[in-house]
Amino acid sequence: MHAIAERVRQVLRQVRGPARDDAVLEAAALIVGALFLVIGFLVAFPVFFGHEMAISGTGSIGNFAAYGGAATAALAFALGRLVARPEDADPDAVRDGFSVPGDRLRWYDLLAIAFAHAAIAYLGWLGIAKLLEQSFTDAPVFAFPGAVLIGVAFALTAYVSFLSSVALTPMTLSLVLAVFLVIGAFASMLASSDPHWWRDNLSALGMSSNSASYAFNITLIIAGVMVTTISRYATAGLPATDPVDRRGRTIVRTGLILIGIFLACVGIFPVDEFFAVHNTVATGMAVAFAVIVVGLPWLLRTIPRIFVLLGWAYVLVIVLLAVFFATGYYNLTAVELIAAVLIFSWIIVFLRTAGSIHERSPEPAAAPDAVDTA
């Protein structure tokens, strides 16, 4: 098995070429997509042969595309990481979009990101199949066109996942996190066995009595791991030559990591089984966010003031929402939804803002004036 993996790595590196420019990576992604197009057709056609498939539902082409698309996304992501892996693993080299030499994504980071890609593909193809079913009511899908559609779905999934993997940057990762959270949340809402879950709170989606609890809690756990990865990305290039800046960067990174840990714990400890722990970690996430935002101008002295003001406005809105909830004007679900959108949008914008801040290199010493010996 190791020999096969090494052979695949060598072939992909030959396709990649020494330059690793965008054109070569695009060609490699097209080859990977074409490979999964053939695989999808060859796997689907024998399964579909002699049957008229439904578009959505149990045993449908939509379910086949969803499960196969998830596996395709994970495999294509792994292939992309093989291509992105340097031939000589220099510990001091800059890798994975980090700006600090020696820093890189760990195995658990990659596992969470790969899972997010697979979940996006799974939920995305399920949603597309459901939409098509409503557009083509009672329309059957025959074996040959169905297999072609499966091949196209696999090819598109592999193409996008492969490119995302080889060109993984802080902005790419933040986009994956945003899409993953949105799709996971909406899928949990649509799959909920209680149509009035919103009357309680957002955490009601994660209750054990809810059919959507597994999807909702897994979404939070994986998102929490991704937030910790983003925390390292977002703070890697911040100024750290001065002790004050270094301490401030450490505090901000720790706070962001705590937000990720608390988010994962919200999914690990459902509210109906661990009420006190669940509420504690959920509150801790909001407190950690507020502390970072309020102290940002003193912790990161190079951060733009307009971004600081944006963060303070976010905190004020969350406080105002809490007042509305306390007075009975808003229910808890509305407060949690808006607060979650504000927190994660701030993290994504912070990632972009922090990436624009570079270490200030010392000014070169001026050359001494030439002495006129004449």
Side-chain angles (χ1 to χ4, degrees):
M1 193 68 182
H2 176 72
I4 296 176
E6 185 62 29
R7 181 57 182 167
V8 170
R9 185 183 300 120
Q10 292 175 358
V11 171
L12 288 174
R13 283 175 178 167
Q14 291 174 359
V15 172
R16 177 189 70 188
R20 287 188 60 195
D21 55 11
D22 293 340
V24 175
L25 291 178
E26 184 73 22
L30 289 173
I31 293 174
V32 172
L35 175 64
F36 278 95
L37 172 66
V38 175
I39 293 175
F41 179 84
L42 294 179
V43 172
F45 186 71
V47 176
F48 295 169
F49 186 76
H51 299 86
E52 292 184 1
M53 307 292 293
I55 298 177
S56 181
T58 304
S60 66
I61 185 175
N63 278 15
F64 195 96
Y67 286 108
T72 297
L75 290 174
F77 185 88
L79 287 175
R81 295 313 301 173
L82 289 177
V83 170
R85 181 179 179 182
E87 304 214 1
D88 297 322
D90 183 1
D92 296 327
V94 177
R95 296 173 57 184
D96 296 328
F98 284 98
S99 56
V100 176
D103 209 349
R104 61 184 176 84
L105 294 172
R106 301 326 194 241
W107 66 268
Y108 49 82
D109 297 325
L110 295 174
L111 187 63
I113 300 170
F115 184 90
H117 281 76
I120 291 172
Y122 173 78
L123 297 173
W125 288 121
L126 277 184
I128 292 174
K130 190 66 176 178
L131 178 63
L132 289 175
E133 182 189 36
Q134 295 179 359
S135 302
F136 300 91
T137 306
D138 297 329
V141 181
F142 298 102
F144 183 80
V148 171
L149 290 175
I150 290 297
V152 172
F154 285 12
L156 180 59
T157 302
Y159 175 80
V160 174
S161 184
F162 181 88
L163 281 182
S164 176
S165 178
V166 297
L168 202 59
T169 63
M171 287 310 302
T172 302
L173 184 57
S174 64
L175 179 61
V176 171
L177 173 63
V179 174
F180 175 63
L181 281 172
V182 170
I183 291 181
F186 275 105
S188 301
M189 295 174 191
L190 293 174
S192 175
S193 56
D194 180 11
H196 299 118
W197 62 267
W198 54 269
R199 292 178 178 175
D200 297 323
N201 50 59
L202 190 61
S203 298
L205 290 172
M207 292 182 180
S208 56
S209 58
N210 198 319
S211 59
S213 62
Y214 183 77
F216 181 77
N217 292 329
I218 289 295
T219 298
L220 295 181
I221 294 171
I222 298 300
V225 176
M226 293 183 67
V227 168
T228 62
T229 304
I230 286 180
S231 303
R232 294 171 50 229
Y233 259 134
T235 57
L238 292 174
T241 53
D242 186 273
V244 175
D245 291 331
R246 187 160 51 248
R247 183 170 59 252
R249 186 184 72 168
T250 301
I251 294 174
V252 171
R253 175 179 289 185
T254 303
L256 291 172
I257 291 175
L258 281 176
I259 291 177
I261 294 174
F262 287 151
L263 178 62
C265 288
V266 170
I268 295 173
F269 302 104
V271 67
D272 58 332
E273 298 180 10
F274 306 92
F275 181 80
V277 177
H278 180 93
N279 287 344
T280 300
V281 294
T283 304
M285 183 170 60
V287 171
F289 170 75
V291 170
I292 294 173
V293 171
V294 172
L296 204 58
W298 295 277
L299 297 173
L300 302 179
R301 297 178 295 177
T302 56
I303 204 76
R305 294 301 177 226
I306 185 65
F307 181 74
V308 172
L309 295 176
L310 175 67
W312 288 356
Y314 276 20
V315 172
L316 288 176
V317 171
I318 293 175
V319 172
L320 183 61
L321 291 173
V323 173
F324 285 165
F325 169 69
T327 57
Y329 186 72
Y330 276 1
N331 71 351
L332 185 56
T333 302
V335 175
E336 290 178 329
L337 277 175
I338 299 175
V341 170
L342 291 176
I343 291 174
F344 287 108
S345 64
W346 183 89
I347 291 176
I348 292 172
V349 176
F350 174 72
L351 181 64
R352 186 176 182 87
T353 302
S356 66
I357 302 174
H358 303 285
E359 290 277 6
R360 289 191 175 89
S361 55
E363 294 292 334
D369 295 335
V371 178
D372 189 358
T373 58

